[in-house]
Amino acid sequence: MRVLVTGGAGFIGSHIADVLTESGCEPVLLDELLPTAHGSQEPPDYMGPHRFVRGTVTDAALLGELLTGVDAVCHQAAVVGHGIDPSDAPSYALHNDYGTAVLLAEMHKAGVGRLVLASSMVVYGEGRYSCDRHGIVPPAPRDRSDVEAARFEPGCPHCGTPLRPLLVPEDAPLVPRSTYAATKLAQEHLAGAWARQTGGTVWALRYHNVYGPRMPQNTPYAGVASLFRSALYRGEAPTVLEDGRQRRDFVHVSDVARANLLALRADGTAGELTPVNVCSGQPHTVGELAGELARACGGPAPRVVGGARPADVRHVVADPARAERLLGFTARTGFAEGIAAFATAPLRAPVAPGS
């Protein structure tokens, strides 16, 4: 199987390329090497023998050339992370949404009907919650005054009592809260429309908090594990917002790469987009992550500073059942094992300040 991997020099894309090669597939890697994620404009030294082309998914002519003879596309290219502020919006929309639209148009022209899309748990916004009195409810909005008073747990919109977080299934309401989240949901909508119009198949893999080797350093366009590791590399204590008890699902990049391989091999449903959580199924708090990583790195203990960024959510914990049922996927790397290895794993070259 020949597979075009967009974002193929990136954190997740490069691991997917390795897994594809090991399984006998032929990956073709496309990456723009954006300076917000890559400290060097040269292909990373971990790229190995893979065929690599520097370019952007907004380049229709280039995509037309690369899609010749391709059996499937694994679309990882995106501007990711929380970013800086709303001034990032044009960059997110250009690379994530316009780029996806161009890719889908060129796939249609080339007759390529299989897509695995890198989506994200951020499309859910806040996770799923239950009130003892009112059942499953959407959480009431968290006001700035709540954050300033260190009231971090979301309350019931009907009675105000603190809610109990539940596992989030793929059919949960999609309520993106950040620019990045909005563009990831738009990617799903674009891919779903393409599938219905062409009869193609789409697996939308909703990654939860991915960590592991080759994460970028010193950039706001990265996951929390990278931010903590970058701080420890500088000899600084990881800074934990809120009270550190916000729950996430941390999944190792090797498991994410394997999930992509399984999706590329799975039949899928013609004319439909099928969303799937890619997660460990074992929730941990952000404070636990910071503490485990600091100990493994032999660095200073985390600083819990309160506060919250405007688009932050409290708890997002995934339901892994559909991934196991449809793809045969379960995560293999445990939290303690993965964090211990991540403490010394190679990261990408630091991103230059102001990139």
Side-chain angles (χ1 to χ4, degrees):
M1 179 189 297
R2 179 181 292 177
V3 181
L4 175 63
V5 183
T6 69
F11 165 44
I12 297 174
S14 65
H15 285 277
I16 293 171
D18 291 346
V19 168
L20 287 171
T21 298
E22 291 165 4
S23 67
C25 297
E26 179 188 349
V28 178
L29 312 186
L30 174 67
D31 202 298
E32 191 173 353
L33 299 178
L34 286 172
T36 52
H38 291 269
S40 169
Q41 296 307 288
E42 297 297 324
D45 56 11
Y46 53 69
M47 293 299 291
H50 307 307
R51 180 188 172 194
F52 172 75
V53 177
R54 183 174 178 184
T56 172
V57 289
T58 62
D59 186 338
L62 176 59
L63 286 173
E65 295 175 10
L66 295 179
L67 286 166
T68 301
V70 160
D71 301 296
V73 174
C74 193
H75 185 30
Q76 308 295 312
V79 176
V80 302
H82 199 281
I84 299 172
D85 58 42
S87 64
D88 288 328
S91 177
Y92 278 109
L94 171 65
H95 293 97
N96 298 4
D97 297 338
Y98 178 68
T100 297
V102 174
L103 173 65
L104 293 169
E106 294 306 313
M107 288 178 64
H108 172 57
K109 293 176 185 176
V112 180
R114 296 175 62 83
L115 174 66
V116 176
L117 173 68
S119 188
S120 172
M121 57 90 172
V122 296
V123 299
Y124 298 121
E126 282 284 358
R128 172 167 284 198
Y129 295 88
S130 177
C131 172
D132 290 339
R133 289 178 57 193
H134 298 98
I136 294 175
V137 294
R142 185 167 62 175
D143 295 329
R144 175 55 53 183
S145 60
D146 293 328
V147 173
E148 292 172 351
R151 293 190 295 268
F152 301 119
E153 294 297 336
C156 175
H158 305 297
C159 63
T161 58
L163 296 173
R164 178 166 49 91
L166 305 174
L167 298 181
V168 184
E170 288 83 356
D171 60 357
L174 305 180
V175 190
R177 295 180 51 138
S178 67
T179 301
Y180 170 56
T183 62
K184 295 309 286 185
L185 182 54
Q187 282 186 313
E188 287 198 17
H189 287 319
L190 288 166
W194 170 86
R196 288 187 291 275
Q197 292 169 339
T198 65
T201 62
V202 182
W203 292 98
L205 304 186
R206 291 176 180 166
Y207 303 156
H208 285 251
N209 288 71
V210 188
Y211 71 96
R214 306 176 189 170
M215 292 190 87
Q217 297 182 57
N218 301 337
T219 172
Y221 303 94
V224 66
S226 174
L227 300 179
F228 290 165
R229 170 76 191 277
S230 295
L232 289 162
Y233 186 82
R234 298 190 301 267
E236 302 170 4
T239 300
V240 179
L241 298 179
E242 301 186 26
D243 57 2
R245 295 175 184 156
Q246 55 271 47
R247 299 168 78 222
R248 299 290 188 270
D249 188 306
F250 299 100
V251 58
H252 196 269
V253 68
S254 62
D255 286 319
V256 173
R258 186 165 48 84
N260 276 268
L261 177 62
L262 291 170
L264 285 164
R265 288 175 166 172
D267 289 337
T269 302
E272 290 187 15
L273 176 144
T274 305
V276 176
N277 287 328
V278 175
C279 59
S280 72
Q282 300 294 323
H284 292 272
T285 69
V286 173
E288 284 181 83
L289 171 68
E292 287 281 345
L293 195 53
R295 285 188 290 274
C297 291
R303 293 187 307 116
V304 180
V305 299
R309 297 174 299 187
D312 278 349
V313 299
R314 182 61 176 173
H315 303 297
V316 185
V317 177
D319 186 339
R322 180 182 287 187
E324 183 173 7
R325 185 175 74 254
L326 298 185
L327 298 179
F329 170 79
T330 55
R332 295 173 178 170
T333 303
F335 181 74
E337 170 195 355
I339 296 303
F342 180 56
T344 57
L347 302 183
R348 290 213 297 269
V351 172
S355 292

